[in-house]
mmCIF file of all heavy atoms in Angstrom:
data_model
loop_
_atom_site.group_PDB
_atom_site.id
_atom_site.type_symbol
_atom_site.label_atom_id
_atom_site.label_comp_id
_atom_site.label_asym_id
_atom_site.label_seq_id
_atom_site.Cartn_x
_atom_site.Cartn_y
_atom_site.Cartn_z
ATOM 1 N N THR D 15 16.538 -7.287 7.120
ATOM 2 C CA THR D 15 16.545 -8.155 5.930
ATOM 3 C C THR D 15 17.581 -9.279 6.016
ATOM 4 O O THR D 15 17.542 -10.196 5.203
ATOM 5 C CB THR D 15 16.763 -7.350 4.625
ATOM 6 O OG1 THR D 15 18.033 -6.699 4.697
ATOM 7 C CG2 THR D 15 15.664 -6.335 4.398
ATOM 8 N N LEU D 49 17.674 3.913 18.243
ATOM 9 C CA LEU D 49 17.941 3.489 16.863
ATOM 10 C C LEU D 49 16.699 3.783 16.023
ATOM 11 O O LEU D 49 15.611 3.264 16.316
ATOM 12 C CB LEU D 49 18.245 1.981 16.788
ATOM 13 C CG LEU D 49 18.338 1.429 15.353
ATOM 14 C CD1 LEU D 49 19.585 1.949 14.636
ATOM 15 C CD2 LEU D 49 18.322 -0.096 15.328
ATOM 16 N N VAL D 50 16.862 4.616 14.992
ATOM 17 C CA VAL D 50 15.760 4.824 14.049
ATOM 18 C C VAL D 50 15.852 3.718 13.000
ATOM 19 O O VAL D 50 16.889 3.539 12.356
ATOM 20 C CB VAL D 50 15.855 6.215 13.389
ATOM 21 C CG1 VAL D 50 14.734 6.389 12.375
ATOM 22 C CG2 VAL D 50 15.796 7.302 14.440
ATOM 23 N N LEU D 51 14.764 2.980 12.868
ATOM 24 C CA LEU D 51 14.749 1.834 11.957
ATOM 25 C C LEU D 51 13.868 2.150 10.759
ATOM 26 O O LEU D 51 12.743 2.626 10.912
ATOM 27 C CB LEU D 51 14.187 0.624 12.719
ATOM 28 C CG LEU D 51 14.088 -0.697 11.958
ATOM 29 C CD1 LEU D 51 15.478 -1.269 11.689
ATOM 30 C CD2 LEU D 51 13.271 -1.713 12.763
ATOM 31 N N GLY D 52 14.416 1.889 9.560
ATOM 32 C CA GLY D 52 13.596 1.997 8.351
ATOM 33 C C GLY D 52 13.138 0.596 7.995
ATOM 34 O O GLY D 52 12.401 -0.052 8.737
ATOM 35 N N GLY D 53 13.638 0.091 6.867
ATOM 36 C CA GLY D 53 13.301 -1.282 6.458
ATOM 37 C C GLY D 53 14.308 -2.304 6.965
ATOM 38 O O GLY D 53 14.186 -3.494 6.635
ATOM 39 N N GLY D 54 15.312 -1.871 7.705
ATOM 40 C CA GLY D 54 16.305 -2.806 8.250
ATOM 41 C C GLY D 54 17.118 -3.495 7.166
ATOM 42 O O GLY D 54 17.620 -4.594 7.366
ATOM 43 N N SER D 55 17.295 -2.833 6.004
ATOM 44 C CA SER D 55 18.000 -3.492 4.897
ATOM 45 C C SER D 55 19.457 -3.052 4.770
ATOM 46 O O SER D 55 20.142 -3.451 3.827
ATOM 47 C CB SER D 55 17.265 -3.255 3.572
ATOM 48 O OG SER D 55 17.275 -1.888 3.243
ATOM 49 N N ASN D 56 19.910 -2.233 5.723
ATOM 50 C CA ASN D 56 21.321 -1.848 5.703
ATOM 51 C C ASN D 56 21.899 -1.874 7.109
ATOM 52 O O ASN D 56 22.778 -1.089 7.448
ATOM 53 C CB ASN D 56 21.468 -0.447 5.080
ATOM 54 C CG ASN D 56 22.792 -0.282 4.373
ATOM 55 O OD1 ASN D 56 23.427 -1.264 3.974
ATOM 56 N ND2 ASN D 56 23.239 0.938 4.231
ATOM 57 N N LEU D 57 21.393 -2.809 7.910
ATOM 58 C CA LEU D 57 21.775 -2.889 9.314
ATOM 59 C C LEU D 57 22.199 -4.305 9.679
ATOM 60 O O LEU D 57 21.595 -5.277 9.215
ATOM 61 C CB LEU D 57 20.560 -2.529 10.183
ATOM 62 C CG LEU D 57 20.316 -1.053 10.465
ATOM 63 C CD1 LEU D 57 18.944 -0.880 11.099
ATOM 64 C CD2 LEU D 57 21.393 -0.463 11.365
ATOM 65 N N MET D 70 10.390 4.006 11.724
ATOM 66 C CA MET D 70 9.900 5.214 11.047
ATOM 67 C C MET D 70 8.682 4.878 10.187
ATOM 68 O O MET D 70 8.775 4.101 9.253
ATOM 69 C CB MET D 70 11.051 5.773 10.200
ATOM 70 C CG MET D 70 10.709 6.979 9.386
ATOM 71 S SD MET D 70 10.017 8.344 10.311
ATOM 72 C CE MET D 70 11.470 9.017 11.116
ATOM 73 N N ALA D 91 9.490 10.240 5.383
ATOM 74 C CA ALA D 91 10.568 9.261 5.609
ATOM 75 C C ALA D 91 10.091 7.815 5.689
ATOM 76 O O ALA D 91 10.825 6.895 5.354
ATOM 77 C CB ALA D 91 11.309 9.632 6.888
ATOM 78 N N ILE D 116 15.363 -0.863 -4.937
ATOM 79 C CA ILE D 116 16.265 -0.828 -3.772
ATOM 80 C C ILE D 116 15.377 -0.948 -2.532
ATOM 81 O O ILE D 116 14.418 -0.195 -2.385
ATOM 82 C CB ILE D 116 17.107 0.475 -3.733
ATOM 83 C CG1 ILE D 116 18.007 0.547 -4.975
ATOM 84 C CG2 ILE D 116 17.938 0.554 -2.453
ATOM 85 C CD1 ILE D 116 18.888 1.783 -5.049
ATOM 86 N N PRO D 117 15.650 -1.920 -1.656
ATOM 87 C CA PRO D 117 14.781 -2.080 -0.481
ATOM 88 C C PRO D 117 14.927 -0.901 0.490
ATOM 89 O O PRO D 117 15.902 -0.171 0.434
ATOM 90 C CB PRO D 117 15.314 -3.363 0.182
ATOM 91 C CG PRO D 117 16.197 -4.017 -0.809
ATOM 92 C CD PRO D 117 16.713 -2.935 -1.708
ATOM 93 N N GLY D 118 13.955 -0.780 1.381
ATOM 94 C CA GLY D 118 14.078 0.211 2.459
ATOM 95 C C GLY D 118 13.130 1.377 2.316
ATOM 96 O O GLY D 118 12.232 1.385 1.469
ATOM 97 N N THR D 119 13.368 2.370 3.161
ATOM 98 C CA THR D 119 12.475 3.527 3.250
ATOM 99 C C THR D 119 13.108 4.754 2.593
ATOM 100 O O THR D 119 14.325 4.814 2.405
ATOM 101 C CB THR D 119 12.215 3.873 4.729
ATOM 102 O OG1 THR D 119 13.482 4.008 5.374
ATOM 103 C CG2 THR D 119 11.379 2.825 5.417
ATOM 104 N N GLY D 121 13.319 7.659 4.054
ATOM 105 C CA GLY D 121 14.110 8.371 5.069
ATOM 106 C C GLY D 121 15.526 7.858 5.204
ATOM 107 O O GLY D 121 16.433 8.595 5.601
ATOM 108 N N ALA D 122 15.735 6.588 4.896
ATOM 109 C CA ALA D 122 17.091 6.027 5.021
ATOM 110 C C ALA D 122 17.919 6.273 3.772
ATOM 111 O O ALA D 122 19.144 6.161 3.808
ATOM 112 C CB ALA D 122 17.011 4.527 5.295
ATOM 113 N N ALA D 123 17.252 6.602 2.659
ATOM 114 C CA ALA D 123 17.972 6.709 1.376
ATOM 115 C C ALA D 123 19.112 7.738 1.407
ATOM 116 O O ALA D 123 20.184 7.486 0.853
ATOM 117 C CB ALA D 123 16.985 6.996 0.249
ATOM 118 N N MET D 125 20.948 8.526 3.904
ATOM 119 C CA MET D 125 22.002 8.076 4.829
ATOM 120 C C MET D 125 23.257 7.694 4.076
ATOM 121 O O MET D 125 24.333 8.178 4.345
ATOM 122 C CB MET D 125 21.546 6.823 5.598
ATOM 123 C CG MET D 125 20.657 7.052 6.754
ATOM 124 S SD MET D 125 21.378 8.083 7.979
ATOM 125 C CE MET D 125 22.544 7.016 8.737
ATOM 126 N N GLN D 126 23.100 6.749 3.144
ATOM 127 C CA GLN D 126 24.300 6.328 2.411
ATOM 128 C C GLN D 126 24.199 6.735 0.943
ATOM 129 O O GLN D 126 24.830 6.135 0.110
ATOM 130 C CB GLN D 126 24.556 4.841 2.597
ATOM 131 C CG GLN D 126 23.566 3.914 1.949
ATOM 132 C CD GLN D 126 24.224 2.583 1.588
ATOM 133 O OE1 GLN D 126 25.383 2.332 1.882
ATOM 134 N NE2 GLN D 126 23.468 1.716 0.940
ATOM 135 N N ASN D 127 23.372 7.774 0.680
ATOM 136 C CA ASN D 127 23.300 8.290 -0.695
ATOM 137 C C ASN D 127 23.146 7.116 -1.659
ATOM 138 O O ASN D 127 24.025 6.832 -2.480
ATOM 139 C CB ASN D 127 24.580 9.103 -0.993
ATOM 140 C CG ASN D 127 24.621 9.641 -2.406
ATOM 141 O OD1 ASN D 127 23.585 9.895 -3.013
ATOM 142 N ND2 ASN D 127 25.825 9.789 -2.945
ATOM 143 N N ILE D 128 22.008 6.425 -1.537
ATOM 144 C CA ILE D 128 21.823 5.186 -2.301
ATOM 145 C C ILE D 128 22.106 5.412 -3.786
ATOM 146 O O ILE D 128 21.841 6.492 -4.330
ATOM 147 C CB ILE D 128 20.408 4.569 -2.121
ATOM 148 C CG1 ILE D 128 19.310 5.546 -2.512
ATOM 149 C CG2 ILE D 128 20.219 4.030 -0.726
ATOM 150 C CD1 ILE D 128 17.936 4.903 -2.628
ATOM 151 N N GLY D 129 22.609 4.380 -4.401
ATOM 152 C CA GLY D 129 22.949 4.523 -5.808
ATOM 153 C C GLY D 129 22.854 3.201 -6.537
ATOM 154 O O GLY D 129 23.012 2.136 -5.923
ATOM 155 N N ALA D 130 22.568 3.273 -7.834
ATOM 156 C CA ALA D 130 22.530 2.075 -8.663
ATOM 157 C C ALA D 130 22.439 2.505 -10.129
ATOM 158 O O ALA D 130 21.806 3.516 -10.449
ATOM 159 C CB ALA D 130 21.325 1.195 -8.307
ATOM 160 N N ARG D 165 28.235 6.364 -1.294
ATOM 161 C CA ARG D 165 27.648 5.607 -0.167
ATOM 162 C C ARG D 165 27.904 6.290 1.179
ATOM 163 O O ARG D 165 28.143 5.635 2.196
ATOM 164 C CB ARG D 165 28.169 4.173 -0.112
ATOM 165 C CG ARG D 165 27.823 3.332 -1.301
ATOM 166 C CD ARG D 165 26.305 3.125 -1.455
ATOM 167 N NE ARG D 165 26.059 2.274 -2.586
ATOM 168 C CZ ARG D 165 25.986 2.718 -3.857
ATOM 169 N NH1 ARG D 165 26.071 4.019 -4.121
ATOM 170 N NH2 ARG D 165 25.779 1.890 -4.839
ATOM 171 N N TYR D 177 20.996 13.727 13.137
ATOM 172 C CA TYR D 177 19.783 14.131 12.420
ATOM 173 C C TYR D 177 18.858 12.944 12.181
ATOM 174 O O TYR D 177 19.307 11.885 11.740
ATOM 175 C CB TYR D 177 20.143 14.731 11.062
ATOM 176 C CG TYR D 177 21.025 15.942 11.151
ATOM 177 C CD1 TYR D 177 22.359 15.881 10.735
ATOM 178 C CD2 TYR D 177 20.533 17.141 11.646
ATOM 179 C CE1 TYR D 177 23.174 17.000 10.806
ATOM 180 C CE2 TYR D 177 21.338 18.264 11.731
ATOM 181 C CZ TYR D 177 22.667 18.187 11.307
ATOM 182 O OH TYR D 177 23.469 19.292 11.387
ATOM 183 N N ILE D 178 17.580 13.160 12.435
ATOM 184 C CA ILE D 178 16.591 12.150 12.030
ATOM 185 C C ILE D 178 15.826 12.729 10.849
ATOM 186 O O ILE D 178 15.283 13.845 10.928
ATOM 187 C CB ILE D 178 15.640 11.797 13.193
ATOM 188 C CG1 ILE D 178 16.468 11.240 14.364
ATOM 189 C CG2 ILE D 178 14.588 10.782 12.733
ATOM 190 C CD1 ILE D 178 15.669 10.918 15.599
ATOM 191 N N ILE D 179 15.837 11.983 9.760
ATOM 192 C CA ILE D 179 15.232 12.486 8.524
ATOM 193 C C ILE D 179 13.717 12.277 8.579
ATOM 194 O O ILE D 179 13.240 11.170 8.875
ATOM 195 C CB ILE D 179 15.868 11.757 7.321
ATOM 196 C CG1 ILE D 179 17.351 12.147 7.236
ATOM 197 C CG2 ILE D 179 15.132 12.081 6.020
ATOM 198 C CD1 ILE D 179 18.212 11.205 6.437
ATOM 199 N N ARG D 226 18.246 -6.475 -11.664
ATOM 200 C CA ARG D 226 18.422 -6.677 -10.217
ATOM 201 C C ARG D 226 17.890 -8.044 -9.796
ATOM 202 O O ARG D 226 18.488 -8.706 -8.960
ATOM 203 C CB ARG D 226 17.720 -5.550 -9.440
ATOM 204 C CG ARG D 226 18.379 -4.197 -9.610
ATOM 205 C CD ARG D 226 17.684 -3.146 -8.775
ATOM 206 N NE ARG D 226 17.906 -3.373 -7.363
ATOM 207 C CZ ARG D 226 18.868 -2.791 -6.647
ATOM 208 N NH1 ARG D 226 19.671 -1.923 -7.198
ATOM 209 N NH2 ARG D 226 19.005 -3.067 -5.375
ATOM 210 N N LEU D 230 20.540 -10.253 -7.703
ATOM 211 C CA LEU D 230 20.501 -10.089 -6.249
ATOM 212 C C LEU D 230 19.489 -11.010 -5.599
ATOM 213 O O LEU D 230 18.394 -11.203 -6.135
ATOM 214 C CB LEU D 230 20.141 -8.630 -5.910
ATOM 215 C CG LEU D 230 21.213 -7.604 -6.269
ATOM 216 C CD1 LEU D 230 20.641 -6.192 -6.172
ATOM 217 C CD2 LEU D 230 22.415 -7.743 -5.352
ATOM 218 N N PRO D 231 19.807 -11.567 -4.430
ATOM 219 C CA PRO D 231 18.837 -12.422 -3.756
ATOM 220 C C PRO D 231 17.706 -11.597 -3.142
ATOM 221 O O PRO D 231 17.946 -10.500 -2.632
ATOM 222 C CB PRO D 231 19.674 -13.086 -2.653
ATOM 223 C CG PRO D 231 20.842 -12.175 -2.428
ATOM 224 C CD PRO D 231 21.075 -11.420 -3.692
ATOM 225 N N PRO D 233 15.517 -10.615 -0.273
ATOM 226 C CA PRO D 233 15.657 -10.795 1.184
ATOM 227 C C PRO D 233 14.501 -11.598 1.805
ATOM 228 O O PRO D 233 14.674 -12.196 2.867
ATOM 229 C CB PRO D 233 15.677 -9.372 1.741
ATOM 230 C CG PRO D 233 15.984 -8.499 0.594
ATOM 231 C CD PRO D 233 15.512 -9.191 -0.642
ATOM 232 N N ASN D 238 19.834 -10.992 3.453
ATOM 233 C CA ASN D 238 21.028 -10.262 2.986
ATOM 234 C C ASN D 238 20.793 -8.762 3.130
ATOM 235 O O ASN D 238 19.667 -8.328 3.384
ATOM 236 C CB ASN D 238 21.340 -10.627 1.521
ATOM 237 C CG ASN D 238 20.409 -9.969 0.529
ATOM 238 O OD1 ASN D 238 20.691 -8.911 -0.007
ATOM 239 N ND2 ASN D 238 19.241 -10.580 0.287
ATOM 240 N N VAL D 239 21.876 -8.000 2.993
ATOM 241 C CA VAL D 239 21.737 -6.532 3.050
ATOM 242 C C VAL D 239 22.268 -5.887 1.763
ATOM 243 O O VAL D 239 22.747 -4.759 1.769
ATOM 244 C CB VAL D 239 22.452 -5.919 4.289
ATOM 245 C CG1 VAL D 239 21.719 -6.267 5.570
ATOM 246 C CG2 VAL D 239 23.918 -6.340 4.369
ATOM 247 N N GLY D 240 22.197 -6.609 0.659
ATOM 248 C CA GLY D 240 22.738 -6.080 -0.602
ATOM 249 C C GLY D 240 24.260 -6.122 -0.564
ATOM 250 O O GLY D 240 24.851 -7.010 0.064
ATOM 251 N N GLU D 336 29.908 -1.714 3.971
ATOM 252 C CA GLU D 336 28.900 -0.709 3.612
ATOM 253 C C GLU D 336 27.785 -0.562 4.660
ATOM 254 O O GLU D 336 27.452 0.546 5.052
ATOM 255 C CB GLU D 336 28.311 -1.059 2.241
ATOM 256 C CG GLU D 336 27.416 0.013 1.698
ATOM 257 C CD GLU D 336 26.854 -0.330 0.324
ATOM 258 O OE1 GLU D 336 27.623 -0.465 -0.637
ATOM 259 O OE2 GLU D 336 25.628 -0.457 0.229
ATOM 260 N N ARG D 338 25.572 -0.708 8.332
ATOM 261 C CA ARG D 338 25.904 -0.241 9.679
ATOM 262 C C ARG D 338 25.746 -1.364 10.698
ATOM 263 O O ARG D 338 24.697 -2.021 10.728
ATOM 264 C CB ARG D 338 24.974 0.913 10.054
ATOM 265 C CG ARG D 338 25.149 1.400 11.480
ATOM 266 C CD ARG D 338 24.132 2.492 11.785
ATOM 267 N NE ARG D 338 24.282 2.966 13.153
ATOM 268 C CZ ARG D 338 23.384 3.731 13.768
ATOM 269 N NH1 ARG D 338 22.289 4.108 13.128
ATOM 270 N NH2 ARG D 338 23.574 4.114 15.023
HETATM 271 C C1 FAD A 1 18.782 -6.908 -1.842
HETATM 272 C C2 FAD A 1 19.324 -5.558 -1.492
HETATM 273 C C3 FAD A 1 19.776 -4.712 -2.496
HETATM 274 C C4 FAD A 1 20.291 -3.457 -2.195
HETATM 275 N N1 FAD A 1 20.709 -2.659 -3.211
HETATM 276 C C5 FAD A 1 21.205 -1.441 -2.964
HETATM 277 C C6 FAD A 1 21.640 -0.598 -4.035
HETATM 278 O O1 FAD A 1 21.546 -0.944 -5.205
HETATM 279 N N2 FAD A 1 22.149 0.608 -3.712
HETATM 280 C C7 FAD A 1 22.250 1.046 -2.423
HETATM 281 O O2 FAD A 1 22.723 2.169 -2.213
HETATM 282 N N3 FAD A 1 21.840 0.282 -1.391
HETATM 283 C C8 FAD A 1 21.314 -0.944 -1.619
HETATM 284 N N4 FAD A 1 20.905 -1.737 -0.585
HETATM 285 C C9 FAD A 1 21.034 -1.248 0.802
HETATM 286 C C10 FAD A 1 19.721 -0.644 1.389
HETATM 287 O O3 FAD A 1 18.598 -1.055 0.668
HETATM 288 C C11 FAD A 1 19.770 0.884 1.406
HETATM 289 O O4 FAD A 1 20.875 1.335 2.124
HETATM 290 C C12 FAD A 1 18.480 1.485 2.005
HETATM 291 O O5 FAD A 1 18.457 2.884 1.818
HETATM 292 C C13 FAD A 1 18.318 1.169 3.483
HETATM 293 O O6 FAD A 1 17.016 1.575 3.857
HETATM 294 P P1 FAD A 1 16.310 1.027 5.160
HETATM 295 O O7 FAD A 1 15.063 1.800 5.351
HETATM 296 O O8 FAD A 1 16.188 -0.433 5.117
HETATM 297 O O9 FAD A 1 17.373 1.460 6.278
HETATM 298 P P2 FAD A 1 17.738 0.723 7.632
HETATM 299 O O10 FAD A 1 18.545 -0.486 7.336
HETATM 300 O O11 FAD A 1 16.544 0.544 8.480
HETATM 301 O O12 FAD A 1 18.692 1.804 8.288
HETATM 302 C C14 FAD A 1 19.946 2.093 7.718
HETATM 303 C C15 FAD A 1 20.568 3.257 8.505
HETATM 304 O O13 FAD A 1 19.778 4.426 8.295
HETATM 305 C C16 FAD A 1 19.313 4.941 9.561
HETATM 306 N N5 FAD A 1 17.978 5.490 9.314
HETATM 307 C C17 FAD A 1 16.896 4.838 8.835
HETATM 308 N N6 FAD A 1 15.868 5.710 8.694
HETATM 309 C C18 FAD A 1 16.321 6.906 9.122
HETATM 310 C C19 FAD A 1 15.736 8.211 9.231
HETATM 311 N N7 FAD A 1 14.465 8.449 8.872
HETATM 312 N N8 FAD A 1 16.490 9.214 9.731
HETATM 313 C C20 FAD A 1 17.795 8.996 10.109
HETATM 314 N N9 FAD A 1 18.380 7.796 10.022
HETATM 315 C C21 FAD A 1 17.664 6.772 9.532
HETATM 316 C C22 FAD A 1 19.325 3.748 10.504
HETATM 317 O O14 FAD A 1 19.406 4.163 11.845
HETATM 318 C C23 FAD A 1 20.579 3.025 10.017
HETATM 319 O O15 FAD A 1 21.724 3.653 10.528
HETATM 320 C C24 FAD A 1 20.379 -3.015 -0.843
HETATM 321 C C25 FAD A 1 19.921 -3.868 0.179
HETATM 322 C C26 FAD A 1 19.393 -5.127 -0.139
HETATM 323 C C27 FAD A 1 18.893 -6.013 0.954
#
Side-chain angles (χ1 to χ4, degrees):
T15 61
L49 172 70
V50 178
L51 180 70
S55 64
N56 210 23
L57 274 169
M70 177 55 76
I116 298 180
T119 53
M125 280 301 286
Q126 69 152 4
N127 178 29
I128 57 168
R165 297 297 182 276
Y177 300 110
I178 300 177
I179 294 160
R226 292 183 69 95
L230 292 168
N238 76 94
V239 289
E336 188 179 297
R338 175 183 180 193

